[in-house]
Amino acid sequence: MPGIESALIALVIIAFASALQASIGFGLALVAAPLLALVDRAYVPGPILCAGLFLGAIMTVRERNEIDLGGVGWAALGRFLGIVPAGFALHWASQAAFDRMFASLVLAAVAMSVLHGNLKPKRGVVFGAGLISGFMGTITSIGGPPLALAYQSASGPRLRATLAALFALGSVASIATLAVIGRFGEAEAVRGLLLVPGVLVGVLVSGPLLPYLDQGATRPMVLGLSTLSALAVLLRAAS
């Protein structure tokens, strides 16, 4: 069981990251995962995937009329296929190797978010984004950036709704994979449930924040914080 201090810090992190994702469509794991890895490694990836599942389900119901059902099908297929190699990688990784792999993929996610092009959510693009998302999401819980890039030209409601449905489906599959390889059990489930109040707070505050959150101002903050956190994890792995 986590200590009270670390649990409270984790709740604050999850509340902030959930408000961000509920507002702009992604960012929960990109912000929260590297920070939680510094607070307590045990929060990543299983417990934060539980939080992502809960948040994804809420957002899917909230904006269900905007979901791109065709895109969800192809992206989900890609994500499920990407989970398999991730499961093998996690099964054989030591703690130091996991830290290095985790931090490297976080930095890769940041790079993908920065170096975006004029992508359109075509079938091949969505499938490829889902494949990369499945691998990254299972190892780090961060599967949002590839999918967000695929839907960058979509409207805000379409992006939020479609990504929410994919996050919910992908989280279920990733959690099942972690359970099979022995990386998700009762302890991880308890930690995941402890994060749920933070998710609820984030969703509640996201509504009033929507008119004030400028995505152009939020992205640099998200990417900068994620980069610093990933570098801190790399330094810890090297020590």
Side-chain angles (χ1 to χ4, degrees), residues 19-28 59 144 148 156 159-161 163-164 167:
L20 180 69
Q21 179 157 314
S23 301
I24 67 172
F26 76 109
L28 169 68
M59 291 180 62
L159 183 147
R160 286 195 302 269
L163 264 61
F167 291 155

Side-chain angles (χ1 to χ4, degrees), residues 22-46:
S23 301
I24 67 172
F26 76 109
L28 169 68
L30 186 59
V31 170
L35 290 175
L36 288 177
L38 292 174
V39 174
D40 188 339
R41 286 190 182 103
Y43 281 111
V44 183

